[in-house]
Amino acid sequence: MVITNSIFVLFLILIPFASSENYKYEIKFLDVPLDHFSYVNNTTFKLRYLINNTFAKDDTGPILFYTGNEGDIELFAQNTGFMWEIAPQLNAIVVFAEHRFYGKTQPFGNHSYDSPQHLGYLTSEQALADFAFLLNSLNPVPKNSREKPRPVIAFGGSYGGMLSAWMRMKYPHLVEGSISSSAPIRQFKGLTPCNVFNKILTSVFKTAYHPTCIENIKRVWDLLKKLAGNGDGLKTLNEKFRFCKNLTKVEDLKEFTDYLTDVYGNLAMANYPYPANFLAPLPAYPVREFCGRLDRINFTDIELLNHFESALSIYSNYTGKIKCLDIQSAYDSNMGDKGWEFQACTEMVMPMCADESDMFPVEKWDFKKYSDDCFKKFSVRPNEDTAIINYGGRSLDAASNIVFSNGLLDPWSGGGVLRNSNPKIKIVLITEGAHHMDLRAAHEKDPGSVIGARKVHIKSIQEWISNYHKRSIFK
Amino acid sequence: MVITNSIFVLFLILIPFASSENYKYEIKFLDVPLDHFSYVNNTTFKLRYLINNTFAKDDTGPILFYTGNEGDIELFAQNTGFMWEIAPQLNAIVVFAEHRFYGKTQPFGNHSYDSPQHLGYLTSEQALADFAFLLNSLNPVPKNSREKPRPVIAFGGSYGGMLSAWMRMKYPHLVEGSISSSAPIRQFKGLTPCNVFNKILTSVFKTAYHPTCIENIKRVWDLLKKLAGNGDGLKTLNEKFRFCKNLTKVEDLKEFTDYLTDVYGNLAMANYPYPANFLAPLPAYPVREFCGRLDRINFTDIELLNHFESALSIYSNYTGKIKCLDIQSAYDSNMGDKGWEFQACTEMVMPMCADESDMFPVEKWDFKKYSDDCFKKFSVRPNEDTAIINYGGRSLDAASNIVFSNGLLDPWSGGGVLRNSNPKIKIVLITEGAHHMDLRAAHEKDPGSVIGARKVHIKSIQEWISNYHKRSIFK
């Protein structure tokens, strides 16, 4: 998450380890062009998709189509219960399409990440074109020109939600409408101030239990820095946090602070009202739990360290079974973090910064440094304008049939579509919602605003399908 | 033109030799990415564009933006008088952007056409992205976020009209509206029957003067074939038509019949009510002139040959100054016919066929042969689905702010948008119009339907601009 030290953002930390497979599907592959927009080579690769057509009773029902994001598509299939729950009543085919370069959809096999000559084909435009190609194959125009293909409804959360919205914007002839959940399509240069993400995050931690939580979080940054500066302090840190690999010098601290930055974002995004088995198992309302352990004003340094370690264990060791703290990544290994880093280093440039009122160290948005870091890592340089040129975002006046839903407790909501005057675009604000909670399966602890959001989704989908069937073929 | 023997289509034969330069502009170049959709290499090239900002009195007027098609952009600038005529009253900047791989916009200089490794970057999607990139550079979002960029109106005729429509469909955040003249966006598989082009063409020739015209045209095909089959006949043909390079065997005939096929299409497209200095100078209503010389029923073979040669000279030698008949190409050398052939061999696959009632030899649409010919010529194979997947065309329900104008005497109108039930799309049928005549400068001989079409254009543009200025910035 781009806040302070780490320059990359991973959205979809909310995917649990799929401990049990609830939903059934066939796994299929389709040969798709590597490059949809040029003819320099005619290579194809195998795009994976999951399909279940047991709910479709005839040829008129819709296809519910998940536009896969930066991870293994099976994780999304198992964690987008909403689609599975509405499929029977809609007489729908359910499809989850994997995003190129993630999961098992590796255009160059094990060499996909070798160099920009391979990885350079990892872009959102190519991914959308993959989905369009797949839809054309699954849902062709019938030979009898008086019949219609099935209507298609796109779904996605987070980056997948951006893709589902863009899919409707760019391929409205293939997709009738789109449910775009927690999709920060305005988290680009000039569309959203760079500090909004951290403002929301700080506010979530400030209001979860007691405002002192963020004061203590701020103190921790300084305390860690002070301790890491000398041998005794390092020893204290190593003893206290039981890292899998000890810190041995002050420079080692960065990996830990990057980890903490990610953890804060993850806790807020996953701030659900029920326990969930995420990257790590988490209790209900994990931010409240976390801040509940940092609720005093006058901690001594060592008290602060003890309480902080206890708070952190909410995320890192809620089961109590973890032997040591692995700070290499705060993300599920099934998430394609390197792929997303590459995308963030090319077109998905989302400026982030923190100021003095935030719970993070002050940091300006430094595009030059960001670009240099990208070049070091991938031999590519990002372009801040590309996403805006390709997708826009300021005005949605020409778009239609999209529901943008955002949880106001989700730091990504700041870059989402929260206002709009186009009646063909629906805005759903989920006051009690974290990151794309509305796409998850129904749960008895769901707050009213999430239940309400799902009702808007269903009503919109029914409307889109009904209008589709009413419409003449050529129009 | 894909009708019988020649497999490729060139639209814009209507461009005159720019004998005098009426309109003034600066010629500029912008570095744009060679590949907008991948990061395999970071090459850029110089895109040429023409700009005139002498009509813009302040920062609020529109940009009138011509989306260049398959030829030298200066030809389009000199032959799209309509844009120049409305610029002063609209307080507008005028821009003509050159399409990559045409005119002076050669991404690899003299080597641009060497191989698919270079030419493979010639696609409509990349061209649209060039235009988007250029617009973002010419018309950036002002730093003061309360101000707006200028509204942009796209214009284009023929393939350029397809591009201007697609520009609005794919980049509505950059282009407020589009005037799309004679744009056959439905001339793709399954959208329009393959015989419609030749049906209209036949009808134009049938009704221009006397129905016997097409009977004589049909007879000519057989007569040429018969004569080319023996030495005496070849001698007769060579004497009669004075080819720059004599026919020496029956196989040589194909070049001539391909030429004739193109000439028929060109005559119909350029069937204007006033003399115009086109590829070759032409009289007013050239189809009528042509058919006026083929108005009898009972020609003997030799009479038919004489009359046909006389009719053909309307196109090939109207000035009487041409010494010999050059049948290598019926097109202006400033038109990028090889580039268009490549596009027709990749994504711009427009099925064409002729049946017994047409004035052409019967020919089925044979995609396999078409594909094989393409592979021989360019080492690429066409895909009939690509354009439909990328751009759709059956339903325009999600589009807005486009005027589709078509001349009903233009054979390309059959693949145009002639009906639609979306109130945000305007359809203009120009009963007396040939190919994108409405984009030309006003002329005293303009029929009422062309004058009416221009009024619709102006009213639409004013509406789009007015709505743009009324709208809040984020919506």
Side-chain angles (χ1 to χ4, degrees):
Chain A
M1 221 272 310
V2 183
I3 312 177
T4 52
N5 302 303
S6 65
I7 62 160
F8 302 113
V9 187
L10 252 192
F11 289 129
L12 272 158
I13 56 88
L14 303 189
I15 301 305
F17 292 116
S19 54
S20 67
E21 294 193 359
N22 302 307
Y23 307 116
K24 303 292 179 201
Y25 40 76
E26 291 176 79
I27 299 177
K28 295 196 172 180
F29 290 86
L30 179 72
D31 286 319
V32 303
L34 178 63
D35 189 345
H36 293 274
F37 306 111
S38 307
Y39 294 86
V40 174
N41 69 53
N42 57 4
T43 309
T44 61
F45 68 92
K46 293 202 180 298
L47 187 90
R48 182 167 66 145
Y49 65 99
L50 319 176
I51 186 165
N52 180 323
N53 53 20
T54 61
F55 310 114
K57 303 296 170 235
D58 59 37
D59 294 341
T60 66
I63 293 177
L64 309 184
F65 188 87
Y66 190 94
T67 52
N69 31 328
E70 74 282 26
D72 187 302
I73 193 62
E74 294 200 74
L75 291 173
F76 299 104
Q78 293 301 342
N79 287 277
T80 309
F82 177 64
M83 283 170 66
W84 296 104
E85 287 173 357
I86 64 175
Q89 75 192 74
L90 291 172
N91 177 25
I93 292 177
V94 176
V95 177
F96 284 80
E98 191 157 68
H99 192 298
R100 52 168 61 195
F101 288 89
Y102 295 104
K104 296 211 163 29
T105 299
Q106 299 296 338
F108 298 91
N110 292 337
H111 299 288
S112 296
Y113 279 68
D114 281 359
S115 76
Q117 269 64 48
H118 292 172
L119 198 49
Y121 292 103
L122 167 52
T123 68
S124 59
E125 293 85 358
Q126 299 281 4
L128 291 173
D130 289 340
F131 298 154
F133 192 90
L134 173 59
L135 278 173
N136 185 64
S137 160
L138 293 177
N139 192 39
V141 174
K143 289 231 166 140
N144 174 349
S145 64
R146 302 204 155 274
E147 289 172 12
K148 291 177 178 180
R150 293 172 182 274
V152 176
I153 311 297
F155 293 76
S158 197
Y159 171 50
M162 297 165 77
L163 293 171
S164 71
W166 291 336
M167 194 77 201
R168 169 65 189 168
M169 293 182 200
K170 294 288 192 181
Y171 298 90
H173 49 290
L174 298 177
V175 170
E176 255 343 90
S178 171
I179 303 296
S180 171
S181 177
S182 300
I185 65 164
R186 286 177 170 163
Q187 191 74 44
F188 296 105
K189 189 183 85 172
L191 299 183
T192 297
C194 62
N195 63 0
V196 165
F197 184 99
N198 287 328
K199 285 265 164 293
I200 297 172
L201 196 55
T202 300
S203 161
V204 167
F205 278 77
K206 194 168 181 173
T207 56
Y209 192 87
H210 190 280
T212 195
C213 183
I214 64 158
E215 300 309 322
N216 284 321
I217 287 173
K218 281 186 185 186
R219 269 188 68 194
V220 165
W221 299 114
D222 294 330
L223 180 58
L224 293 178
K225 205 167 156 188
K226 189 171 85 178
L227 289 170
N230 64 74
D232 284 354
L234 280 170
K235 198 175 156 214
T236 305
L237 289 177
N238 287 328
E239 282 171 9
K240 180 48 63 191
F241 291 99
R242 284 171 296 146
F243 301 112
C244 295
K245 195 179 153 207
N246 273 343
L247 310 186
T248 60
K249 53 187 186 299
V250 66
E251 290 78 15
D252 293 350
L253 185 63
K254 187 174 180 309
E255 192 171 18
F256 187 37
T257 55
D258 283 356
Y259 171 83
L260 293 177
T261 298
D262 287 345
V263 167
Y264 297 143
N266 296 357
L267 281 168
M269 287 190 264
N271 198 25
Y272 292 158
Y274 45 82
N277 183 9
F278 287 156
L279 305 170
L282 284 176
Y285 295 117
V287 178
R288 189 171 68 194
E289 290 292 320
F290 182 92
C291 286
R293 299 182 185 189
L294 290 170
D295 61 340
R296 277 169 46 201
I297 298 176
N298 296 316
F299 283 129
T300 62
D301 279 1
I302 196 69
E303 282 171 348
L304 178 59
L305 206 64
N306 286 337
H307 279 256
F308 181 73
E309 193 280 330
S310 163
L312 181 61
S313 72
I314 298 286
Y315 184 88
S316 63
N317 193 10
Y318 186 60
T319 61
K321 291 180 183 165
I322 303 294
K323 296 292 172 208
C324 65
L325 179 59
D326 180 4
I327 58 175
Q328 279 210 307
S329 170
Y331 296 103
D332 184 326
S333 62
N334 282 310
M335 293 300 293
D337 46 356
K338 194 168 175 204
W340 183 253
E341 285 181 15
F342 181 80
Q343 291 194 256
C345 271
T346 48
E347 56 182 13
M348 294 292 126
V349 186
M350 300 181 170
M352 294 275 180
C353 60
D355 61 36
E356 280 163 11
S357 62
D358 299 331
M359 66 189 222
F360 296 96
V362 173
E363 181 140 344
K364 289 199 185 318
W365 168 244
D366 182 348
F367 179 69
K368 190 183 171 309
K369 180 177 181 306
Y370 184 93
S371 176
D372 290 345
D373 287 349
C374 285
F375 192 77
K376 256 181 253 170
K377 188 148 189 173
F378 293 111
S379 305
V380 296
R381 287 195 179 275
N383 187 324
E384 286 185 288
D385 291 328
T386 302
I388 299 166
I389 295 175
N390 281 342
Y391 302 115
R394 262 164 70 107
S395 163
L396 295 171
D397 192 56
S400 60
N401 295 11
I402 307 175
V403 179
F404 287 104
S405 62
N406 276 285
L408 294 187
L409 299 180
D410 175 7
W412 286 111
S413 65
V417 179
L418 304 178
R419 50 184 171 151
N420 189 262
S421 57
N422 175 351
K424 291 188 169 179
I425 299 293
K426 291 211 178 91
I427 307 289
V428 178
L429 303 181
I430 306 175
T431 47
E432 300 134 310
H435 205 42
H436 56 72
M437 189 169 167
D438 46 338
L439 293 189
R440 300 186 61 80
H443 190 285
E444 56 177 7
K445 290 269 178 74
D446 281 332
S449 58
V450 171
I451 295 167
R454 294 197 186 112
K455 283 186 184 155
V456 174
H457 296 338
I458 293 170
K459 189 158 171 282
S460 304
I461 292 167
Q462 284 168 334
E463 242 175 63
W464 299 333
I465 294 172
S466 158
N467 287 338
Y468 175 81
H469 287 303
K470 272 187 225 153
R471 221 163 55 208
S472 65
I473 292 178
F474 274 97
K475 66 168 292 186
Chain B
M1 223 272 310
V2 185
I3 312 178
T4 50
N5 301 304
S6 66
I7 62 161
F8 302 115
V9 187
L10 252 191
F11 290 129
L12 272 156
I13 56 85
L14 303 188
I15 301 304
F17 292 116
S19 53
S20 67
E21 293 193 359
N22 301 307
Y23 307 116
K24 303 293 178 198
Y25 40 76
E26 293 175 78
I27 299 177
K28 295 194 173 182
F29 290 86
L30 179 73
D31 287 319
V32 303
L34 177 64
D35 189 345
H36 293 274
F37 305 112
S38 306
Y39 293 87
V40 174
N41 69 53
N42 57 4
T43 308
T44 61
F45 68 92
K46 292 202 182 299
L47 187 89
R48 183 166 65 144
Y49 64 99
L50 318 176
I51 184 165
N52 180 323
N53 53 22
T54 62
F55 310 115
K57 303 297 172 234
D58 61 34
D59 295 341
T60 65
I63 294 176
L64 309 185
F65 188 89
Y66 190 94
T67 52
N69 29 331
E70 74 283 24
D72 186 302
I73 193 63
E74 294 199 76
L75 292 172
F76 299 105
Q78 293 301 340
N79 288 277
T80 310
F82 177 64
M83 283 171 66
W84 296 103
E85 288 173 356
I86 64 175
Q89 76 192 75
L90 291 172
N91 178 24
I93 292 176
V94 175
V95 176
F96 284 79
E98 192 157 70
H99 193 297
R100 53 168 60 196
F101 288 88
Y102 295 104
K104 296 212 164 24
T105 299
Q106 299 296 338
F108 298 92
N110 292 337
H111 299 289
S112 296
Y113 279 68
D114 282 0
S115 76
Q117 269 63 50
H118 291 171
L119 199 49
Y121 292 103
L122 167 52
T123 68
S124 59
E125 294 85 358
Q126 299 281 4
L128 291 172
D130 289 340
F131 299 153
F133 193 89
L134 173 59
L135 278 173
N136 186 63
S137 160
L138 293 176
N139 193 37
V141 174
K143 290 231 164 139
N144 175 348
S145 65
R146 300 202 156 278
E147 290 171 12
K148 290 177 179 180
R150 292 172 182 274
V152 176
I153 311 297
F155 292 76
S158 196
Y159 171 50
M162 298 165 76
L163 292 171
S164 71
W166 292 337
M167 194 77 202
R168 169 65 188 168
M169 293 182 199
K170 293 290 192 180
Y171 297 91
H173 50 288
L174 298 176
V175 170
E176 252 348 86
S178 171
I179 304 296
S180 172
S181 177
S182 299
I185 64 165
R186 285 176 171 165
Q187 192 73 48
F188 295 105
K189 187 183 86 172
L191 300 183
T192 296
C194 62
N195 63 358
V196 165
F197 185 99
N198 288 327
K199 285 265 165 291
I200 297 172
L201 196 54
T202 300
S203 161
V204 167
F205 278 77
K206 194 168 182 173
T207 57
Y209 191 88
H210 190 280
T212 194
C213 183
I214 64 159
E215 300 309 324
N216 284 319
I217 288 173
K218 283 188 187 184
R219 268 188 69 194
V220 165
W221 300 114
D222 293 331
L223 180 57
L224 294 179
K225 207 167 155 189
K226 189 172 83 179
L227 290 171
N230 64 73
D232 284 353
L234 279 170
K235 200 174 153 216
T236 305
L237 289 177
N238 287 328
E239 281 171 8
K240 180 47 62 192
F241 292 100
R242 284 171 297 146
F243 301 111
C244 296
K245 197 182 152 205
N246 274 343
L247 311 185
T248 61
K249 52 186 185 302
V250 67
E251 290 78 16
D252 294 350
L253 186 65
K254 187 174 182 306
E255 193 171 18
F256 187 36
T257 53
D258 284 356
Y259 171 82
L260 292 177
T261 299
D262 288 345
V263 167
Y264 297 143
N266 295 359
L267 281 168
M269 288 191 260
N271 198 24
Y272 294 158
Y274 45 81
N277 183 10
F278 286 158
L279 307 169
L282 284 177
Y285 296 115
V287 177
R288 190 170 67 192
E289 290 291 320
F290 182 93
C291 286
R293 301 182 184 189
L294 290 171
D295 61 341
R296 278 170 44 203
I297 299 176
N298 297 315
F299 285 128
T300 63
D301 279 1
I302 196 69
E303 282 171 346
L304 177 59
L305 206 62
N306 286 335
H307 279 255
F308 181 72
E309 192 280 329
S310 164
L312 181 61
S313 72
I314 298 286
Y315 184 87
S316 63
N317 193 13
Y318 186 59
T319 62
K321 292 180 183 164
I322 303 294
K323 297 290 173 211
C324 64
L325 179 59
D326 180 5
I327 57 175
Q328 279 209 308
S329 170
Y331 297 104
D332 184 328
S333 62
N334 282 309
M335 293 303 294
D337 45 355
K338 194 169 175 201
W340 183 254
E341 286 181 14
F342 181 80
Q343 291 193 256
C345 271
T346 47
E347 56 182 13
M348 294 293 125
V349 186
M350 300 179 169
M352 294 276 179
C353 61
D355 61 36
E356 280 163 12
S357 62
D358 300 330
M359 64 190 223
F360 296 96
V362 173
E363 180 141 345
K364 288 201 187 313
W365 168 243
D366 182 348
F367 180 69
K368 188 181 173 309
K369 179 178 181 308
Y370 184 93
S371 176
D372 289 345
D373 287 349
C374 285
F375 192 75
K376 256 181 252 169
K377 187 148 190 172
F378 294 112
S379 307
V380 295
R381 288 197 179 274
N383 186 323
E384 287 185 288
D385 291 328
T386 302
I388 299 166
I389 295 175
N390 281 342
Y391 302 115
R394 260 163 73 105
S395 163
L396 295 170
D397 192 55
S400 60
N401 296 10
I402 306 177
V403 179
F404 287 103
S405 63
N406 277 286
L408 294 187
L409 299 180
D410 175 7
W412 287 112
S413 64
V417 179
L418 303 178
R419 51 185 170 151
N420 188 262
S421 58
N422 175 351
K424 292 188 169 182
I425 299 292
K426 290 210 178 89
I427 308 289
V428 179
L429 303 181
I430 306 176
T431 46
E432 301 133 310
H435 205 43
H436 55 72
M437 190 170 166
D438 46 338
L439 293 189
R440 301 186 60 79
H443 190 284
E444 55 177 9
K445 292 267 178 73
D446 281 333
S449 58
V450 170
I451 295 168
R454 294 199 185 109
K455 282 186 186 154
V456 174
H457 295 337
I458 294 171
K459 189 158 171 284
S460 304
I461 292 167
Q462 284 169 335
E463 243 175 62
W464 299 334
I465 294 173
S466 158
N467 287 339
Y468 176 79
H469 287 303
K470 273 187 223 151
R471 218 163 58 206
S472 64
I473 292 178
F474 274 97
K475 67 167 291 184

